[in-house]
Amino acid sequence: MTKELSDYRMPAEWEKHSATQLHWPANRETWPGERLGRVERVYVNIIEALSKYEPVLLLADPTVRTEHINKLLGDSDTNLSNVHIHSVPVNDVWARDCGPIFVRKRTGSNAALPEFAITDWEYNAWGGKYPPFDDDNLLPAWIAEKFGIHRYPAGMVLEGGSIETNGEGVLLTKESVLLNENRNPGLRKQDIEKRLKAYLGIEKIIWLKDGLKGDDTDGHIDDLSRFLNNNTILTMVSDDVEDVNYKALSENLKALEKNRNLTGDSFHIVTLTLPKTKIEGTTVDGSEYVPASYANFYIANGCVLVPLYDERHDEDALSLFKEYFPDRDIIGIECSDLVWGQGSIHCITQQLYGLSL
């Protein structure tokens, strides 16, 4: 670790980005048969929406023809001047988990330091579940070199979807992920906390326990509980005691209600009902459940992209986001075909800072 890192903090997602990182879908193990075409259509919808608000850094494996991507985007209302396609080896679409985690210089810090830097954590596809993942693990270094961003290797496995911050020193995470032996078997909880605090400028860590059934990440926080502002946390709940996720969601809610912010006050907790998570047939990991959750939203510069899955609850979700983000456009994206592959909008996006595209 370096002393310079004490001058940095991980920003909240709502702080202005310079771009959003996405990977064009191509992995036939994740998207077999007609599933690939279906998820491509979801990608077009997401890129079309994002391109109106901020640049998109779209990474495409060399096996994908750029002409194919341009044709699909060209047939939509995408702002093509805001989409920057780079042919780079990638293993899959999960930019959130393998992409760079940026930190921002604190106000009044050393003027000689750059405004933004990359913390580069190891990525092993959620405990080695889906090899190969070596190309994805190299992407933070590629972005740092390509765009001239200073990079701090962290020497620990950490996925972006496993952490959530309010940008003011509070971090949410999960015991089922970070303390799982398939990530960092040689590190104790206190070692992991020390690394998170040092590299991300964190002062308080809130540990929740179990995640959603069907979530092959072992329970990422971005399917469960997210900050809507510095003191408001959205957390998913179930209104059905027979639901497979009812117990875990109830325990997470109770834990959040007991926790306090840095000034000792309670957080403001709001809830949304978990959409349908059981599907017909099986998903890519053989499960009959998918981690469908409204918590997997993405905050872009002028909009919030909200995943839609279940008409019984979709409007409630859209209404909540309109209430908490009145200065941003709220855009619903149908994500049933995306979540079939075990992730949603937040899982495939990663906010970038300090880049000149």
Side-chain angles (χ1 to χ4, degrees):
M1 300 181 200
T2 172
K3 185 177 183 299
E4 292 177 0
L5 279 165
S6 62
D7 287 320
Y8 287 96
R9 63 173 180 84
M10 183 179 174
E13 192 167 293
W14 51 79
E15 297 181 43
K16 188 176 181 179
H17 316 158
S18 61
T20 294
Q21 176 183 341
L22 286 164
H23 306 170
W24 189 260
N27 187 320
R28 279 294 188 175
E29 292 187 10
T30 306
W31 315 107
E34 46 87 29
R35 287 286 175 183
L36 182 60
R38 290 167 68 165
V39 78
E40 283 184 327
R41 289 191 289 272
V42 179
Y43 262 71
V44 169
N45 293 338
I46 290 172
I47 294 170
E48 178 181 322
L50 278 176
S51 69
K52 295 176 172 62
Y53 300 90
E54 65 180 73
V56 174
L57 178 67
L58 181 58
L59 307 184
D61 191 79
T63 59
V64 180
R65 292 172 52 249
T66 302
E67 295 81 2
H68 171 67
I69 300 174
N70 284 328
K71 173 65 167 60
L72 291 177
L73 296 179
D75 289 341
S76 70
D77 193 28
T78 298
N79 178 3
L80 295 176
S81 66
N82 243 359
V83 180
H84 304 265
I85 303 175
H86 291 264
S87 183
V88 181
V90 295
N91 300 119
D92 214 333
V93 298
W94 314 115
R96 174 66 47 184
D97 291 344
C98 64
I101 298 177
F102 276 77
V103 288
R104 184 174 194 171
K105 189 168 64 174
R106 298 178 188 273
T107 303
S109 295
N110 185 347
L113 293 174
E115 180 70 15
F116 296 99
I118 285 173
T119 62
D120 183 359
W121 307 78
E122 295 300 311
Y123 172 72
N124 71 353
W126 319 289
K129 293 185 179 73
Y130 298 106
F133 45 80
D134 51 320
D135 287 335
D136 285 349
N137 190 38
L138 294 174
L139 291 176
W142 180 86
I143 290 174
E145 182 177 359
K146 178 75 175 178
F147 297 100
I149 307 292
H150 190 76
R151 177 174 67 97
Y152 294 99
M156 182 184 109
V157 173
L158 180 77
E159 302 105 42
S162 69
I163 57 173
E164 170 75 5
T165 184
N166 65 352
E168 298 183 2
V170 179
L171 183 134
L172 306 176
T173 192
K174 296 292 303 308
E175 292 182 359
S176 60
V177 178
L178 267 64
L179 303 187
N180 196 310
E181 290 188 357
N182 63 17
R183 298 320 203 268
N184 299 288
L187 296 180
R188 300 166 299 172
K189 183 176 183 179
Q190 53 265 45
D191 299 325
I192 292 171
E193 286 195 338
K194 183 178 180 180
R195 197 77 58 97
L196 292 173
K197 289 178 177 179
Y199 278 82
L200 302 178
I202 299 302
E203 297 178 53
K204 179 183 178 67
I205 299 175
I206 297 174
W207 293 87
L208 302 181
K209 292 191 176 181
D210 294 325
L212 298 180
K213 295 294 183 183
D215 183 356
D216 53 5
T217 70
D218 301 310
H220 273 181
I221 195 69
D222 64 358
D223 274 329
L224 297 166
S225 305
R226 301 278 309 282
F227 282 104
L228 300 180
N229 56 45
N230 67 334
N231 201 56
T232 300
I233 301 173
L234 163 67
T235 194
M236 301 305 299
V237 296
S238 174
D239 56 5
D240 178 6
V241 294
E242 300 299 323
D243 188 281
V244 67
N245 292 300
Y246 180 87
K247 183 174 183 291
L249 294 179
S250 297
E251 289 178 351
N252 285 337
L253 175 60
K254 291 176 183 177
L256 290 172
E257 289 174 337
K258 291 178 181 178
N259 263 283
R260 296 292 182 266
N261 60 24
L262 294 180
T263 60
D265 297 318
S266 300
F267 291 100
H268 177 53
I269 311 295
V270 296
T271 63
L272 281 172
T273 301
L274 196 72
K276 179 182 178 182
T277 57
K278 190 170 184 178
I279 62 171
E280 297 297 327
T282 59
T283 61
V284 67
D285 70 344
S287 173
E288 61 180 328
Y289 296 98
V290 292
S293 170
Y294 299 116
N296 213 264
F297 62 91
Y298 178 61
I299 307 170
N301 286 343
C303 69
V304 180
L305 302 188
V306 180
L308 305 180
Y309 318 95
D310 187 339
E311 61 185 14
R312 297 173 302 166
H313 305 299
D314 288 348
E315 284 302 321
D316 289 339
L318 293 171
S319 295
L320 183 140
F321 286 104
K322 289 175 183 176
E323 177 184 353
Y324 281 92
F325 296 96
D327 58 340
R328 299 176 199 248
D329 295 330
I330 308 303
I331 303 173
I333 304 285
E334 172 54 51
C335 283
S336 296
D337 288 325
L338 178 57
V339 81
W340 184 90
Q342 298 297 292
S344 197
I345 296 175
H346 198 252
C347 300
I348 64 168
T349 54
Q350 178 61 278
Q351 62 270 22
L352 308 174
Y353 303 88
L355 275 60
S356 179
L357 297 181

